[in-house]
Amino acid sequence: MTLLMSYICAGWIVTILIGVPLLSSMLIASFAFVVLGGLPPEIIPQKVARSVDSFPIVAAPLFILMGNIMNSAGITDRIFVFAKAVVGWLRGGLCHANIIASVIFAGMAGSAVAEAGALGTIEIKAMTDDGYDPELAAAVSAASATIGPIIPPSLPMVIYGVTADVSIGRLFLAGLLPGLLMAAALMAMVVYIARKLDLPRTPFPTMAQVWVALRDSFWALMTPVVLLAGMFSGYFTPTEAAAVATCYALFLGIFVYKGFDLRSLPVLLRQTAETTGVVMGLVMAAGAFGWCMSLSGIPQKLGPLLVEVLGNPILFLLAVNIFLLAIGCFIEALAAMLILVPILAPAAAALGIDPVQFGVVFVLNLMIGTITPPVGVVLFITARIAKVSFEVMSRAILPWLVPLIFVLLVVTFWPPLTLTLPKLLMP
Amino acid sequence: MNIVTRVADRTLVFACSASLLGLLAVVMAGVVSRALDRPVVWSDELSRFLMVWLSFLGWTLATRNHAHIRVGLVLDRLPPRAQRVVEAAIQAITGSIGLAFIWYGLTLTGRNTGVQAVTMPIPAGLLYVPLIFTGVVMALEGYVRAWRHLGGAPYLGYGDGDAP
């Protein structure tokens, strides 16, 4: 079975490179495994359906819907205007505003896809209207969207927590400081690029302008507070937070800001369903493929082998980073999680690595994977919004990977960055 | 044929919207009922059912719009004739996966029809019904497109779908 799976994996990568949709390539590989392995083929459709028969994953479409509603109601606009008032006066001000807005939005949405689709639309338009290159606007938006699932709430952290049996509350707290560090590192890169490209800045705002921006966006800025208070006081679970956030966005859009037109709801629902279909299709196919992988015995052999060969936690984490960054280029993040968490989490535990720290390392790696070609979902989304080719985007994103990989290394080699808050607040 | 396709597409979009709104309503029902100290037992299971349905319906919509992610590194660089042949083969494979989904969807639905869901008086087989309609759309879409490409229709790349 192990040898058969090795051949199938090689064939699977070839089908991806030829141009078979990722979803179909995983299904072909899974059907090939069961047919050649003498197993009943109906297992594959069954695993496909069962992969999303899970309550935590319900948050995925709801976060995407929330993002779309916030966009349509002009709430993301208000967040961006506030961010622009605070940091727009710096050189390359809209790049800085883009990152600050992403940090705020990260406290509402737990998915990079939702963040890129919702906030990215506003940010890319505002930046191109102001004379920024579309590829630069799209690249900053894609890079800053990866902050979304690191700062709580976070769908990938929920999936990791459920799959690896780790406290989701501790994972959420662990992501907060790395998420802020990501924002700082991306802003440092903006400083460098803004000087190099001589990017524009807006005039220094008056206190009155900042006050107006704050007043106009106050209730939108309160969303993370409402969600975190609700989750940590036990009123709703992290999964249910997605539904609460969606209802809160609808409430703000209809009653507070009055910018949401109910007639736009059918279009938003259709868009959300299609994005859900693309992402969940990959998760479902990966569920079947991951099952085949575990049946082949590869995880059971690979885990102990990694522990034996690499020996110490530092080497292991370094190897995991390289491996996940490479894998993230070819598999969608949630799909990769379903396949790889059962292989890598036990090996990390065997080497004494804290499962919470490993969870953040894991999720951060896969988020970087969402903006690396050839299979970066977030890269696809921002390229489509900015109407630039995927090849151009693939080049434009390269400088933005540097600060993110720097943060990844800090998270990997300095455990207090992830473990201080969980130890302090959830001892 | 155009009218049939249009009606089918509209029905698909309606079903997607209904399952998404239903999902939101059911999850919120769980939160509100718990806050009122009268928790409903079916919200967790029903939301999982709706999630499976929504995922398959969204998958089907994305299939109609050719929005499923693919890597164009090789295909985009081939000469037009080779592109058409490779794309026809890819579409035929998608169609065949659709046929497998129809067949095994029917098998799984039939086998689980007698089994009842844990908290609701509905058959557990309903979970596998969407495999059938996703399979039908994948098969039709795949084979029709394969036929068109073999007949000379050009390969247009990612997102060249027909749905509204």
Side-chain angles (χ1 to χ4, degrees):
Chain A
M1 283 288 200
T2 308
L3 191 65
L4 173 64
M5 187 43 111
S6 313
Y7 289 134
I8 286 175
C9 281
W12 169 52
I13 291 169
V14 172
T15 57
I16 292 177
L17 293 176
I18 288 173
V20 176
L22 298 180
L23 165 92
S24 304
S25 68
M26 279 192 276
L27 290 172
I28 296 166
S30 307
F31 273 119
F33 179 79
V34 290
V35 169
L36 297 174
L39 300 163
E42 72 205 53
I43 294 176
I44 297 307
Q46 188 191 30
K47 294 290 169 195
V48 165
R50 286 285 177 186
S51 301
V52 285
D53 178 17
S54 140
F55 190 66
I57 226 159
V58 161
L62 298 178
F63 274 132
I64 298 169
L65 178 62
M66 183 213 67
N68 284 338
I69 289 173
M70 284 200 155
N71 245 11
S72 180
I75 298 170
T76 38
D77 251 330
R78 287 168 191 268
I79 294 169
F80 190 65
V81 167
F82 170 73
K84 194 175 153 187
V86 176
V87 289
W89 53 275
L90 294 165
R91 185 166 294 286
L94 289 194
C95 292
H96 287 294
N98 185 319
I99 294 161
I100 294 290
S102 291
V103 171
I104 298 167
F105 200 75
M108 310 174 191
S111 139
V113 171
E115 186 150 338
L119 203 55
T121 313
I122 303 294
E123 291 168 339
I124 291 169
K125 186 180 179 308
M127 289 177 76
T128 47
D129 285 352
D130 224 48
Y132 286 75
D133 285 337
E135 57 264 34
L136 174 66
V140 183
S141 304
S144 63
T146 58
I147 300 172
I150 306 299
I151 290 179
S154 160
L155 176 63
M157 297 270 196
V158 172
I159 305 291
Y160 178 88
V162 172
T163 320
D165 198 17
V166 179
S167 156
I168 292 166
R170 289 174 72 86
L171 282 168
F172 275 11
L173 288 172
L176 196 56
L177 293 179
L180 296 175
L181 183 63
M182 282 166 83
L186 286 172
M187 287 175 81
M189 182 50 99
V190 172
V191 170
Y192 170 73
I193 286 184
R195 264 200 214 134
K196 205 172 138 195
L197 302 179
D198 194 23
L199 293 177
R201 64 202 324 169
T202 54
F204 196 83
T206 61
M207 278 308 283
Q209 283 171 320
V210 176
W211 166 247
V212 169
L214 177 64
R215 191 194 59 198
D216 287 351
S217 58
F218 180 76
W219 292 109
L221 297 175
M222 281 295 104
T223 317
V225 179
V226 172
L227 293 184
L228 289 178
M231 277 188 288
F232 285 101
S233 61
Y235 274 103
F236 42 83
T237 64
T239 303
E240 290 166 340
V244 175
T246 308
C247 292
Y248 185 70
L250 265 176
F251 176 78
L252 288 186
I254 296 171
F255 299 108
V256 180
Y257 296 133
K258 298 185 173 71
F260 186 72
D261 184 356
L262 271 173
R263 281 171 297 187
S264 64
L265 195 59
V267 175
L268 299 185
L269 292 173
R270 195 199 66 77
Q271 284 171 350
T272 306
E274 186 177 311
T275 312
T276 302
V278 172
V279 178
M280 287 303 118
L282 289 171
V283 169
M284 292 157 101
F289 191 52
W291 178 83
C292 294
M293 192 75 92
S294 77
L295 202 70
S296 73
I298 287 180
Q300 295 84 331
K301 285 176 187 157
L302 202 63
L305 190 73
L306 280 173
V307 175
E308 196 185 308
V309 172
L310 296 169
N312 78 64
I314 303 274
L315 268 181
F316 174 79
L317 284 171
L318 205 60
V320 163
N321 280 337
I322 295 167
F323 177 66
L324 287 180
L325 284 175
I327 282 286
C329 296
F330 291 95
I331 316 180
E332 197 275 329
L334 291 182
M337 210 166 255
L338 293 178
I339 298 173
L340 296 173
V341 169
I343 301 177
L344 297 174
L351 284 168
I353 298 165
D354 191 292
V356 172
Q357 186 208 355
F358 190 67
V360 179
V361 170
F362 203 101
V363 173
L364 182 49
N365 260 304
L366 293 178
M367 287 311 110
I368 295 174
T370 65
I371 56 165
T372 46
V375 187
V377 182
V378 170
L379 213 55
F380 262 97
I381 292 172
T382 47
R384 278 178 91 180
I385 297 170
K387 296 188 177 68
V388 294
S389 75
F390 191 69
E391 277 71 23
V392 170
M393 264 307 283
S394 302
R395 275 193 300 274
I397 198 68
L398 290 177
W400 303 97
L401 294 175
V402 177
L404 295 177
I405 291 175
F406 164 75
V407 176
L408 176 64
L409 291 175
V410 177
V411 170
T412 305
F413 296 118
W414 195 46
L417 183 69
T418 43
L419 300 179
T420 304
L421 280 183
K423 278 182 182 159
L424 211 65
L425 300 171
M426 291 177 78
Chain B
M1 192 62 191
N2 268 348
I3 294 174
V4 174
T5 317
R6 224 171 24 239
V7 170
D9 279 335
R10 293 232 167 126
T11 312
L12 174 62
V13 170
F14 177 78
C16 284
S17 307
S19 51
L20 183 53
L21 278 180
L23 184 66
L24 178 63
V26 170
V27 176
M28 280 311 289
V31 176
V32 173
S33 65
R34 224 176 29 247
L36 297 173
D37 221 9
R38 301 182 69 174
V40 288
V41 289
W42 42 262
S43 68
D44 191 291
E45 192 176 28
L46 183 55
S47 55
R48 286 189 285 116
F49 261 78
L50 285 167
M51 183 65 204
V52 174
W53 273 73
L54 172 64
S55 301
F56 274 115
L57 287 163
W59 172 336
T60 313
L61 189 60
T63 302
R64 282 287 292 143
N65 281 332
H66 279 225
H68 287 299
I69 294 171
R70 59 196 298 188
V71 177
L73 283 175
V74 176
L75 197 54
D76 291 350
R77 285 171 176 75
L78 291 176
R81 195 181 155 79
Q83 266 183 349
R84 287 201 305 273
V85 173
V86 174
E87 181 63 3
I90 291 172
Q91 293 301 332
I93 291 170
T94 305
S96 306
I97 295 173
L99 286 185
F101 271 21
I102 298 171
W103 178 255
Y104 296 117
L106 287 167
T107 312
L108 289 166
T109 306
R111 195 175 296 161
N112 290 281
T113 302
V115 184
Q116 195 174 301
V118 181
T119 59
M120 299 174 294
I122 56 169
L126 276 177
L127 206 64
Y128 300 106
V129 172
L131 269 168
I132 303 166
F133 60 69
T134 300
V136 169
V137 174
M138 280 175 83
L140 284 173
E141 191 74 25
Y143 289 129
V144 168
R145 279 190 173 251
W147 183 252
R148 279 188 201 160
H149 287 305
L150 288 177
Y155 158 75
L156 296 174
Y158 175 78
D160 63 331
D162 306 322

